[in-house]
Amino acid sequence: MTLVPPVAKKVPHERTHHGDTFVDNYEWLRDKDDPEVIAYLEAENAYTEQQTAGLEPLRQAIFDEIKSRTQETDLSVPTRMGDWWYYSRTQEGKSYGLQCRCPVDSPDDWTPPSLSDNVPGEQVLLDANVEAEGHSFFALGAFSISRDGNLLAFSVDVEGDERYTMRFKDLRTGEMLPDVIEKTAPGATWSFDHSYVFYQTVDESWRPDTVWRHKLGTSTDEDVTVFHEPDESYWVGFGSTRSEKYLMIWVGSKITSECLVLESDNPEGEFRVVLPRVDGVEYSIEHAVVKGEDRFLVLHNGSVNGWGTDGAKAENFILADAPVDDPTQQTTLVAHRADVRLEDVDAYADHLVLGYRREALTRLAVWPLDSTGYGTYHELEFDEELYAVGSGSNPEWTQPLLRLAYTSFITPGQVYDYDLSTKELLLRKSQPVLGDFDASNYVQQRDWAVASDGTRIPLSIVRRKDVPDGPAPTLLYGYGSYEASMDPAFSVARLSLLDRGIVFVVAHVRGGGEMGRHWYDNGKTLTKKNTFTDFVAAAQHLISTGRTSPEHLVADGGSAGGLLMGAVANLAPELFNGILANVPFVDPLTSILDPSLPLTVIEWDEWGNPLADKEVYDYMKSYSPYENVEAKDYPSILAITSINDTRVLYVEPAKWVAALRATKTGDSELLLKTEMSAGHGGVSGRYEKWKEAAFEYAWIVEQTGAS
């Protein structure tokens, strides 16, 4: 029996705001407890399966390629913490990893051991395959070891709804402790004396809003509320400084932040505010010891003149030093620069590590602390045109080495230890890629498109060297929200596209953070359309320069990048032969108008508040993909979603596809695939993820016309 495209019934639902009434014919699809809704989603899945059945041999080939290139039995580079080396294992045939440790041979031993299958003294702390048994979905949330190395707090999610169950294990005996805490957020932090665990819970909108203190061995009924944030536009985080001297609560909206601290050796004490929140000012705190004195390092975007609001705003952030007892008395260490975005600072006993961004690339600098105070920092240099570098796992306050992670589009992930005394980079591991992979067969380069307002948009391009000149099959990826930067990264799976002659391009559009805070500010709220027109300019540039053609070009984006895909489909459908949209945020106005939905209020700083502001309402309505579906010839579209997604509800792509199918002209194919037991991150388990990648990549190969 040949299936025809499902047609969703129309049930008019009126929504009126600011004198404007919108008739939503598919809002009924929101009720996932309605058997008719489930039947419709399953009909869409069946239709998608039928229409892509011919791609099954290609899907299997791509899956086999990913599998054959992956060293399935592998180990991470061990990280030293206390008297143990901690690492993870993967084993052939198993979907999830194992968290393990082995003892440190001597106190002066900082060279990570070369591990084999039989590690002397190895302890398996957690086998996620055992935890996942009997569940169609599994995600590990917290994984926190007490300071003495004897206790483990971990949490798991087996639904995909990002609410975790926390449990505890005595690592000396291997026994599970009776304490169980339900419905937590992912993290857990031990007190200095390991008698308490601090954890968070979320409100009905999935906003982390409350910090709790649990005394090990007591009932959760006795857990103490340490902090609660009532303002729905703020989220709450928790952790401790690397020095372990302070416990820290972070409170933040998308434009304002606040930090509270408490000495770790006084876990029942009262947290105190470091710097009171100032609307529009973000800051973070790091504890350092300089010339024997406790100091706070304050990274903030207040005034270019220092902490406060007088003078121009330091949009790319300033780093300042301040005494712990009066953090307002700040001395600027790194001044504001328009071309450098300061992103983070990590403090150790005898040095700092600065993370920043210049010319759309990540940078790291090491800054020694000595008897005179702050020395001179120097930037680590790398020789590739495009790359990404960042600090790795460095849990110890005093250590002679700095763990780094490095990658590029053509360089598999590398783990280095930087020797602080000799300034040598010691390669500890390069991500294994099995088979005939040779990095020299591929090239990566930077190009620039020009937006309609004259702004130059960076493009990252990677391809095989032997791809001929002229219009080539091309996948153009974009995101462009939340100041998230799409940095260069190697992908084993992507080789299956590159080796079929597909050119992979990342458009670093405004709304992301690649070019500094102004890049973000000019792609949010009432400038959001720059994100979409930048992506269109990128596509036009690739076509006008002869790199590709519309019949060979596919666009790809997920979540907020899925909003980009939906907007581009309306703006310039003629530029693309296909659009892949993963968990796409394509009905943003409906969602942002409803404060009861998960995370909506927090999102107002990103998109604006259309409930309170007619200008915001009109602006969002003018670009919302769902409300701007028109009778035009759209490219083929594959939308993928998950029924338990709490961030972008499945109903958004379901409504969008239904509206497209009822409205479009032309014969392009519209497909909706809903994972019926997954969350925002999609399916779980590496083999299932490879199958999903193969499904998407086979569709991309077909739509780009690659061989």
Side-chain angles (χ1 to χ4, degrees), residues 233-235 251-258 279-280 282 602 605:
S233 62
Y234 285 80
W235 51 263
V251 187
S253 71
K254 294 187 184 298
I255 61 172
T256 306
S257 55
E258 185 175 65
D279 188 46
E282 301 160 66
I602 287 178
D605 286 333

Side-chain angles (χ1 to χ4, degrees), residues 31 123 167 182 237 265 287 314 474 505 542 549 566-567 590 619 658 687:
D31 184 7
Q123 293 183 12
R167 288 177 287 162
E182 302 284 356
D265 58 6
H287 170 235
T474 300
V505 182
L542 294 172
S549 62
T590 301
Y619 188 77
Y687 298 106

Side-chain angles (χ1 to χ4, degrees), residues 306 448 668:
W448 300 83
S668 62

Side-chain angles (χ1 to χ4, degrees), residues 68-86:
S68 68
R69 290 183 175 122
T70 302
Q71 186 166 302
E72 295 187 60
T73 298
D74 201 5
L75 299 105
S76 66
V77 179
T79 295
R80 179 171 168 176
M81 188 169 69
D83 297 328
W84 299 88
W85 292 104
Y86 291 86

